[in-house]
Amino acid sequence: MKGEDLYSHAQVTWCPGCGNFGVRYALREALLELDRDGIPVENVVIVTGIGQHGKMFDFMNINGFYGLHGRTIPIAAGIHIANPDLRVICIAGDGDCYAEGLEHLVFGAKRNLDITVLVHDNRVYGLTTGQYTPTSPFRFRGRSTPDGSREHPFNPLELVLTSGATFIGRGYSRRQEQLKDLIREAVLHRGFSFIDILQICVTYNDMTEYYNSHIYDWDQDDLGDFEAACRKAREWDYDTEAPIGLGLMYRSGKETFEELCPVPEQLKPGERAALVRKIMDERR
Amino acid sequence: MKGEDLYSHAQVTWCPGCGNFGVRYALREALLELDRDGIPVENVVIVTGIGQHGKMFDFMNINGFYGLHGRTIPIAAGIHIANPDLRVICIAGDGDCYAEGLEHLVFGAKRNLDITVLVHDNRVYGLTTGQYTPTSPFRFRGRSTPDGSREHPFNPLELVLTSGATFIGRGYSRRQEQLKDLIREAVLHRGFSFIDILQICVTYNDMTEYYNSHIYDWDQDDLGDFEAACRKAREWDYDTEAPIGLGLMYRSGKETFEELCPVPEQLKPGERAALVRKIMDERR
Amino acid sequence: MMESEVSVLVGGPAGAGISSAGQVVAQLLGRLGYRVHMYLDYPSRIKGGHNFAVIRGSGGQPGAIREKMDFLLALNQETVGLHRHNLAADGVIVYDAGEVKNTSGIAVAIREILAEEDAPAVMGNSAILGAFARAAGIGWNLFEDVLRLSIPKAVALNLAVARRAYDAAEEHERVPVLDRPVFPVFSGNEAIGIGLIEGELANYFSYPMSPTSNIMHFLAGLQEEAKIRVFQPESEIAVVLMALGCAYSGTRAAVGTSGGGYCLMTEAISLAGVAELPLMIVLGQRTGPSTGLATYTAQGDLYFALNGGHGEFPRLVAAPGDAEEARAWAVAGMDLSWKFQVPAILLADKVVCEGMFSLDPDKILKRRQETPSAESNSPYHRYALTGSGISPLRFPPVKGEVIRVNSHVHDTDGITTEDPELTRAMAEKRWKKERILEGEIEEMDPVNILGARESSTALLCWGSSKWACHEAGEKNGLRVVQPVVLSPFPEKGFARAMDGIDRIITVETNETGQLSRFIREFGYHPDDTILKYDGRPFTVEELDTRVKEAVS
Amino acid sequence: MMESEVSVLVGGPAGAGISSAGQVVAQLLGRLGYRVHMYLDYPSRIKGGHNFAVIRGSGGQPGAIREKMDFLLALNQETVGLHRHNLAADGVIVYDAGEVKNTSGIAVAIREILAEEDAPAVMGNSAILGAFARAAGIGWNLFEDVLRLSIPKAVALNLAVARRAYDAAEEHERVPVLDRPVFPVFSGNEAIGIGLIEGELANYFSYPMSPTSNIMHFLAGLQEEAKIRVFQPESEIAVVLMALGCAYSGTRAAVGTSGGGYCLMTEAISLAGVAELPLMIVLGQRTGPSTGLATYTAQGDLYFALNGGHGEFPRLVAAPGDAEEARAWAVAGMDLSWKFQVPAILLADKVVCEGMFSLDPDKILKRRQETPSAESNSPYHRYALTGSGISPLRFPPVKGEVIRVNSHVHDTDGITTEDPELTRAMAEKRWKKERILEGEIEEMDPVNILGARESSTALLCWGSSKWACHEAGEKNGLRVVQPVVLSPFPEKGFARAMDGIDRIITVETNETGQLSRFIREFGYHPDDTILKYDGRPFTVEELDTRVKEAVS
Ligand SMILES: Cc1ncc(C[n+]2csc(CCOP(=O)(O)OP(=O)(O)O)c2C)c(N)n1
Ligand SMILES: Cc1ncc(C[n+]2csc(CCOP(=O)(O)OP(=O)(O)O)c2C)c(N)n1
Ligand code: SF4
Ligand code: SF4
Ligand SMILES: [Mg+2]
Ligand SMILES: [Mg+2]
């Protein structure tokens, strides 16, 4: 398989320079590596939200469910519960996953669902033309907040860590090699894998310079240490000036939801009829 | 004002022995004290969810909004944004506030809305006859999980702490004096006040003995210390055996949402007409 | 006692097992050859207050209750106070002597019996049942048999309690045995659960809500045996989207809720519509708007069931009038939803869901399985524009194929488009499916004709008003027409059922006469509307009176 | 150029300011005395691709576009490729010489002009506008005036760019000045925002969604001046519940959304219904189902607007056909929703919301203020059973009174009840309000009569199809009837408007003919249905053809 095979023929409609190009590239490369490593691409399903991130559905040439704004995770849960052989990747947005559908993120982590969630965190509603999101900095001037927003952002890494996620990382759309590795590892991880991707939105929230001058790579020595993960997560609160760590932040082992709820082999028609007969007979 | 005045004439329909009686008593006593301290009871509004907790609406004789399952917080936000002189108390359930409407809890905390949230955390869906909730222990046997639930609970205190709440405590329906103090302080606190109330459900999840043998009072020396709060919050994870701290856990000062969005005095009819005329004239 | 008719009311506080007691009575009457219906009336509380169950056995199928009781089983004073006027002239009150004062009838010394057997208070209902069995002349062996099946825990102790009461009571009037095959008795919720299993359910998702929570409870208890999974997620939004995820993966799922939860599902119903994903929703109506009366009934959501979700797309809406129909249309809903890749709504209400009914185990519609499409499958086009509008379904993983479903307007591969021609073509594809679905529906007896078939006046009803109408129809010589399927509306079947009708009276438990308005779309103009909107179903007598007023 | 008619198309990639350019053209034509309509067509992307705006000026009110353009302003090759066939015989193409090849007309050397002025690429639209102004014979002063008002940033540079292009271009055909009062030009969204302010809005809540996001943006920019607050919460669920919280506190709020967000609001609409809380929702329809075509139009949610939310309760639904009506009914919706304590839905669509229209600033309905109830207020009963069904509204804090609103069935004090009599009484109270509301509506000209009034054939339409129908009606001698209010349906006004009609043709941009089905409820049976469901509105010519086919 070649990289090109993983891109669809659909015309790409992101703005020139949009960070989503980088994410797409990283995703494609990760899928290629996974394919080589024995996870064939037809076993992968992406579930996308509604937003610029969601267009990944059209631009990739892999199985996909283009869902609703904010609802990638329950859809992915359903797909994976029904067929745990599939590798399900949510392509979510920050408006999508941190505002409209935040509850599902917490519950996905809580259950340790064996899926991967990539949040294209451009810290703005891109497709609806630039309103503030839960990760926009305080006083963000967008179309709904011309005088600056009145909310401090929350910290998604801290939130999913608290909620029980077992694989947590942060990527950057301009660090595609690292992002590719993160995605590959996330898909391979058994349990809830979460990557907040600092994705550049050149049109509404171009943080390139800021990120370039603040990022560094987390050391990877203490990945299983919850306290260390807390510290890493809190170093930058998405609001005030601080170094921005990139890479894998936390990884731990825990029984997954799917392991706790194994798929039973379905009854055969005859067995089903016999069961119904039995239920009926017990009531007369 | 007498305590009795704060109870309505409606017949109380909780089960005998239900922890909600204790919560009701504590709420009443807190309101009496607040009234004495200059917060008249007509300035208080309770917003209730749907569940056994929600019946507080009928059983109290104070202003109330009996809302929807899971949605106390946005209703309370609207009430308070419109009239910040009111003291708004959400009477929520664990199913209500931690499952159906979890996102609002996180956003209430994030915005530091100046409201109080009391969660009647009986760790079961009471009114719908005993299903597991997000705080039910792992393997809880309820009507939807006769073989035990497949989810570990999350820890609500940790979650709201991470989300930005500025007043966090834990009460117990059998510790009414302490609970009363917590509620009073919560109402007085400027910012998002959250109390998880371990409320006994005698019918579906009677944890009385367990709680009685595990509770202790948190020391109150380091209330502003975030790290200490984290430690306290994590001591007991609602799942595994551990001491259960009670009382105020964390308190800090932060600008509230209402302070950031002050209520403008409304235009007078003439001013409004003049504004519209101006807008019209600018377009021709 | 009327011929082939017996009515029993059991009343007591919440928590005293009134529902179980009622079920035992229902089961008993069932074993005596009666067709049975039970209506359960309870407020939204767990303990105390006043609950009551009315069980009616009849030679014909009863699906509504009568007002006069042959037996009044009273575990509290309220039962007598509130229902004494419901006692038939030759009826009898069987009561807890310790709780009920100033009454005559058969007193049961429950407190003493429990003390003697060292049994807990909740077994009081076994005592009253024992006394009832004796009063009704039911043999101990049959009674013991039924009690054993119905009461899973502490059987011996319950039996001992019941036996004491049985022995202490006297026979009042023997309930005659009917010489008819014994049908099992199920609640509508159980019948729906059975139907879903027959419809190849793999996953059931639900968030608790009256009156459908018991579907979840029933199926949860069957998980092992039926090889299904039951899961209760964080909200109805998650519920319905998990079901759609399963559909994409190729396994059947269903969900259950009531109006408030359905509101939260509408966005996903619309998604199922455009993405052409199968989806099975059981919508149990209760008294609205909003939280309304959480444990009472209504038929207030017909239009919402038909129109919930934005945009336009075909859907199946079937409104069963009893447990038998609920089971049948649960199966059909699963099958048709998969075959046509459309959302299906089983529109029930509290009376159907939580009421109990005898059902004929063999009364089941012919299965409507997916017919494998003859059209070529490779290269695969998820939204291939076929002659029928139905595109072949495949599920990941398929080597070499990409399987896409999309909430946007899309091309045949599922890729988003904004092209006007494709927009139109895809819309027309979806309505093509509907025409074919309607054709299949027409073959499935989607409109019931009951009552006095020869009449030229029709009582028109839907859902749970079915049997009350049937009886009023028989009594007053009126034809009863009950469309079971509301969407796609079986115009042909309905026209046949309405053949020769020159006067239409609609009967609904709602405020605005929704069916009455709805059928105007098809050119039928009701002359009268009989509505009830206090949360309670029509009793046989009440409807009879209202019908007489209307036709007079 | 036809008499008193001019059509202009501006096309270019997303991000090039096509919408602003269109607005300048619209403003210009407005200043020349034309009544103006602009339709904006753009895919769901931020940069690149192809956007176009069609601006039509006319002596009468245009609310639909024509197919033939007098001026085609092309910033990209697609504009010419896709729209060349739209050029009128005597029309002219004004184009960016650097982008557009192989065409004739007025070439504008945009690249060179921008380079000379050292202006950024986005100012290309000022250049093309300058050239257009010259080509249309519009004086520089007027043009400068309009440009200044429309382009808030870098005015001098934009003017310099425009001036160069203006000077370099030649006049093609002078657009005649009409001797009529100049009306301001607004988008429907802006007009709604104005109406909400006039309706005493204090808080506007919204979660972004096409086509209503611009109401939020418009109001956000006016927060200071209008003394309102605009807030964007976490979801539509939070949006609508915050609005209900405000209502309880006694201040007016409104929300805006589209179908997907409306789905999430339905549970709260039902709550508003039973709790009798005022609620104002702007529902801007777009092509569904589900995400559908996010930036295109449809009239697919009439039934959903009428029936969203479980249970039954009165609501106001008004569907304006242009900005003037949108403003008027935004005010009326606010007032009536407060007076009657019911949810109000302003049902618009993309064409009304994002389209631009001239409006008469003085055309506004008589205010329908709350009339203070004569009935006694103390002790206060939130749900007092008054003769009108309307209970007096009070808001906390009130010393000595307890103010309760409740999603359950409740007594007059708002305390939960399960009593059947009260259940019935409260339902009847709500419908009483509706009858009075309907009476008020009947006085508010709720049904428009347009086209050829004397005809006995009616073109029946609603919402954004209004003006296309009007033109088709005038041309083909047909009466046009447009109910603006759909709920409570103004039966009397509609009957008057339909007086003498013997043939009905409905015109809607949806798949199933929702209005056509809906009016059957009231005994009107359309003979023909003209539907369009490709996301685009009817053009004047298209509808004319379809109408001719139908009547022939
Ligand atoms: C229920 C619902 N509400 C609102 C929308 C409108 N909507 C589409 S995209 C979007 C914002 C997307 O922002 P984000 O998730 O951050 O994605 P981005 O475009 O930035 O990638 C919104 C609000 C919708 N499609 N559905
Ligand atoms: C949208 C919606 N879904 C479901 C319900 C049904 N419901 C009523 S109460 C309840 C559970 C209440 O549990 P909890 O919030 O823990 O309250 P408790 O009864 O334990 O106090 C549910 C699910 C509802 N009213 N609305
Ligand atoms: S608006 Fe931002 S996120 Fe969207 S395509 Fe453009 S650069 Fe990317
Ligand atoms: S069920 Fe539990 S929570 Fe509900 S009233 Fe009874 S004891 Fe209280
Ligand atoms: Mg974003
Ligand atoms: Mg609970």
Side-chain angles (χ1 to χ4, degrees), chain C residues 484-521:
Chain C
V484 180
V485 179
L486 281 318
S487 170
F489 192 68
E491 285 199 56
K492 286 202 203 103
F494 191 74
R496 263 197 312 277
M498 295 294 282
D499 190 46
I501 290 295
D502 55 26
R503 171 144 191 220
I504 303 176
I505 302 168
T506 55
V507 179
E508 308 179 60
T509 51
N510 62 35
E511 302 167 22
T512 65
Q514 299 196 29
L515 179 66
S516 174
R517 293 190 280 135
F518 179 61
I519 57 152
R520 287 164 197 247
E521 279 191 25

Side-chain angles (χ1 to χ4, degrees), chain C residues 409-535:
Chain C
V409 178
H410 40 255
D411 67 13
T412 55
D413 288 329
I415 289 185
T416 304
T417 182
E418 288 164 326
D419 178 69
E421 303 302 324
L422 261 171
T423 304
R424 191 160 40 223
M426 284 292 165
E428 284 166 3
K429 164 196 201 306
R430 293 190 294 267
W431 294 110
K432 232 187 240 174
K433 292 196 303 186
E434 200 213 32
R435 281 196 302 279
I436 299 182
L437 171 58
E438 187 183 331
E440 280 208 34
I441 296 279
E442 295 279 11
E443 293 167 16
M444 295 171 81
D445 275 337
V447 183
N448 284 330
I449 310 176
L450 298 159
R453 305 179 66 107
E454 66 291 347
S455 168
S456 66
T457 297
L459 284 184
L460 193 58
C461 66
W462 61 288
S464 64
S465 307
K466 171 182 181 180
W467 290 108
C469 283
H470 172 63
E471 295 194 42
E474 288 210 316
K475 200 136 170 205
N476 296 285
L478 307 176
R479 190 188 308 174
V480 172
V481 176
Q482 172 219 1
V484 180
V485 179
L486 281 318
S487 170
F489 192 68
E491 285 199 56
K492 286 202 203 103
F494 191 74
R496 263 197 312 277
M498 295 294 282
D499 190 46
I501 290 295
D502 55 26
R503 171 144 191 220
I504 303 176
I505 302 168
T506 55
V507 179
E508 308 179 60
T509 51
N510 62 35
E511 302 167 22
T512 65
Q514 299 196 29
L515 179 66
S516 174
R517 293 190 280 135
F518 179 61
I519 57 152
R520 287 164 197 247
E521 279 191 25
F522 304 97
Y524 299 89
H525 291 265
D527 303 279
D528 269 296
T529 307
I530 297 176
L531 301 177
K532 183 168 160 72
Y533 41 83
D534 61 3

Side-chain angles (χ1 to χ4, degrees), chain B residues 58 63 81 261 278 283, chain D residues 190 225 229 249 403 407 416:
Chain B
D58 290 319
N63 297 316
I81 288 174
C261 295
K278 178 177 158 243
R283 283 294 180 85
Chain D
E190 292 166 332
E225 266 184 296
R229 271 180 314 189
S249 276
I403 299 171
S407 70
T416 305

Side-chain angles (χ1 to χ4, degrees), chain A residues 58 63 81 261 278 283, chain C residues 190 225 229 249 403 407 416:
Chain A
D58 290 319
N63 297 317
I81 288 174
C261 295
K278 180 178 154 243
R283 282 295 178 87
Chain C
E190 291 166 333
E225 267 185 294
R229 272 181 314 190
S249 275
I403 299 171
S407 69
T416 304

Side-chain angles (χ1 to χ4, degrees), chain A residues 50-53 69 94-96 122 124-128, chain C residues 267, chain D residues 208 236:
Chain A
I50 305 299
Q52 299 289 10
H53 61 277
H69 182 60
D94 51 331
D96 179 76
N122 53 7
V124 73
Y125 291 83
L127 196 59
T128 50
Chain C
E267 194 190 5
Chain D
E236 288 87 350

Side-chain angles (χ1 to χ4, degrees), chain D residues 301-325:
Chain D
D301 298 332
L302 174 57
Y303 268 98
F304 192 29
L306 292 168
N307 296 288
H310 54 301
E312 301 167 284
F313 49 91
R315 73 180 81 199
L316 174 67
V317 177
D322 53 36
E324 193 169 279
E325 246 162 33

Side-chain angles (χ1 to χ4, degrees), chain B residues 4-258:
Chain B
E4 281 308 305
D5 298 338
L6 289 180
Y7 287 169
S8 78
H9 61 79
Q11 198 203 6
V12 178
T13 56
W14 289 316
C15 307
C18 175
N20 283 322
F21 286 97
V23 182
R24 185 169 75 134
Y25 177 79
L27 176 62
R28 166 185 116 172
E29 294 302 304
L31 293 178
L32 284 177
E33 291 189 12
L34 287 165
D35 190 71
R36 264 177 251 131
D37 295 352
I39 297 181
V41 76
E42 68 267 19
N43 277 32
V44 176
V45 178
I46 58 172
V47 181
T48 62
I50 305 298
Q52 298 289 11
H53 61 277
K55 294 182 173 179
M56 195 75 89
F57 172 95
D58 290 319
F59 306 155
M60 293 293 294
N61 205 27
I62 54 174
N63 297 316
F65 191 131
Y66 208 152
L68 297 176
H69 183 61
R71 314 295 173 193
T72 57
I73 294 172
I75 294 171
I79 292 173
H80 198 249
I81 288 174
N83 184 356
D85 291 338
L86 299 172
R87 302 286 172 141
V88 190
I89 305 174
C90 296
I91 308 280
D94 51 330
D96 178 77
C97 188
Y98 298 154
E100 184 78 76
L102 175 70
E103 65 272 29
H104 311 302
L105 177 63
V106 174
F107 278 91
K110 172 181 187 286
R111 296 182 184 127
N112 198 29
L113 278 173
D114 188 11
I115 61 173
T116 295
V117 177
L118 309 182
V119 180
H120 293 219
D121 190 2
N122 53 6
R123 306 170 69 196
V124 73
Y125 290 84
L127 196 58
T128 51
T129 70
Q131 300 85 1
Y132 85 109
T133 72
T135 49
S136 300
F138 188 51
R139 297 293 183 196
F140 178 86
R141 286 170 189 269
R143 297 191 69 188
S144 61
T145 54
D147 307 324
S149 73
R150 316 293 163 105
E151 283 188 62
H152 292 274
F154 61 45
N155 182 333
L157 299 194
E158 214 182 333
L159 204 67
V160 294
L161 183 66
T162 300
S163 305
T166 50
F167 180 106
I168 302 173
R170 186 189 282 135
Y172 176 27
S173 58
R174 295 176 64 102
R175 288 289 183 96
Q176 291 155 25
E177 186 64 21
Q178 179 185 52
L179 184 55
K180 175 214 54 174
D181 289 340
L182 271 175
I183 293 174
R184 191 196 54 224
E185 293 305 311
V187 173
L188 290 172
H189 175 75
R190 271 199 320 100
F192 193 75
S193 307
F194 171 84
I195 305 173
D196 185 64
I197 304 173
L198 300 176
Q199 174 237 315
I200 295 301
C201 170
V202 288
T203 303
Y204 296 114
N205 192 21
D206 191 349
M207 308 275 294
T208 312
E209 277 183 42
Y210 188 87
Y211 290 155
N212 286 350
S213 62
H214 287 73
I215 51 171
Y216 74 100
D217 288 336
W218 274 318
D219 73 63
Q220 307 282 307
D221 299 339
D222 47 6
L223 286 176
D225 180 344
F226 187 83
E227 292 295 332
C230 285
R231 276 193 307 275
K232 283 179 177 169
R234 288 205 197 111
E235 186 178 34
W236 177 53
D237 65 1
Y238 289 70
D239 201 13
T240 40
E241 179 90 22
I244 301 177
L246 293 180
L248 185 54
M249 184 188 94
Y250 179 68
R251 177 161 56 194
S252 70
K254 200 166 85 182
E255 229 174 353
T256 67
F257 183 76
E258 293 81 348

